[in-house]
Amino acid sequence: TWMPEIKDDAGNVLVPAGSNWGGNTASGPTDAAYKNIVNDIAVDPKNPKHLVAAIGWRSGDAYNGFYETNDFTTGPSGWHKLSVTLGSITNTSDVGYTTFAFSKTGDRLYAMVQQPSKINASSSLAGIFVSKTGSPNGPWNKIADQAQLHNSGSALDRKGYGVGVQA
C-alpha cells in the first residue's frame, strides 16, 4: 500500500515514501489494522490545493502528528510532517486523534486534540487550540480544556463519561 515518508521527531526516516512499502517501523508493522489512521483532513478556504491532515493512533505512535501539502495534485511527495507545539505537547507522537476546522475566511485554524499520554486519565483531551495565523505550523494557543468545557456546560458530562473522553 502507498505510504508517505514518515519521520520521527529527530528527523530519522521510519518509513520511506513509496507506493510499495511493506516493511515495519520501530513501533510495529505498518500494515497493522490500527496503523496509518487519517483522523481528519481540512481544506484551506484561501487555497483549495492546500490541505492539512491529522494522522494519529490514539495510543500514540512515531507517525502521529500534523501533515501538510501545499498542492495535493503533486501526490505523495508533496506531503510533509510538521513539527508543532500544542501547549505542553512538544513531542508530535503525543498528538493523537485530532479534528480540524478552518474559519470561513481561512485566517484561523482550530484543532481539537486528543493526547495519547492521557489515555488512561478521566479525559484524554489535550485541549482545543487555535492558530490565529491560519497556518498549521502555528503558533497554537489553547482556548479550552476539559475543565473549561465542563464548567461551561457546553459538553456532555455524565457519570462515567468525562468531557473529551472521545476526543
Side-chain angles (χ1 to χ4, degrees):
T1 60
W2 173 81
M3 290 287 295
E5 180 178 76
I6 299 173
K7 296 181 181 181
D8 64 16
D9 291 337
N12 301 310
V13 175
L14 299 173
V15 178
S19 59
N20 296 316
W21 175 257
N24 297 327
T25 68
S27 56
T30 59
D31 61 354
Y34 60 86
K35 294 281 192 163
N36 309 313
I37 299 168
V38 177
N39 307 125
D40 199 17
I41 295 178
V43 179
D44 186 339
K46 295 185 291 187
N47 174 5
K49 288 186 176 183
H50 176 228
L51 304 179
V52 180
I55 300 176
W57 165 234
R58 70 182 196 100
S59 293
D61 210 322
Y63 66 83
N64 281 25
F66 296 174
Y67 292 75
E68 175 182 45
T69 181
N70 289 310
D71 184 358
F72 73 87
T73 64
T74 62
S77 64
W79 286 91
H80 59 278
K81 186 176 181 181
L82 303 175
S83 178
V84 298
T85 299
L86 297 160
S88 63
I89 305 173
T90 56
N91 179 352
T92 57
S93 65
D94 202 24
V95 172
Y97 194 101
T98 298
T99 303
F100 289 118
F102 274 103
S103 63
K104 183 177 179 179
T105 59
D107 60 336
R108 291 180 186 240
L109 178 59
Y110 298 88
M112 182 174 68
V113 181
Q114 178 260 347
Q115 189 171 358
S117 63
K118 294 182 173 185
I119 200 77
N120 292 319
S122 62
S123 173
S124 60
L125 180 67
I128 299 174
F129 298 85
V130 63
S131 167
K132 293 181 180 179
T133 63
S135 169
N137 287 303
W140 289 94
N141 298 304
K142 186 185 285 191
I143 58 173
D145 61 19
Q146 176 192 7
Q148 289 169 305
L149 293 172
H150 170 78
N151 293 335
S152 73
S154 67
L156 178 65
D157 190 20
R158 296 184 183 157
K159 185 175 182 177
Y161 186 91
V163 174
V165 76
Q166 291 183 320

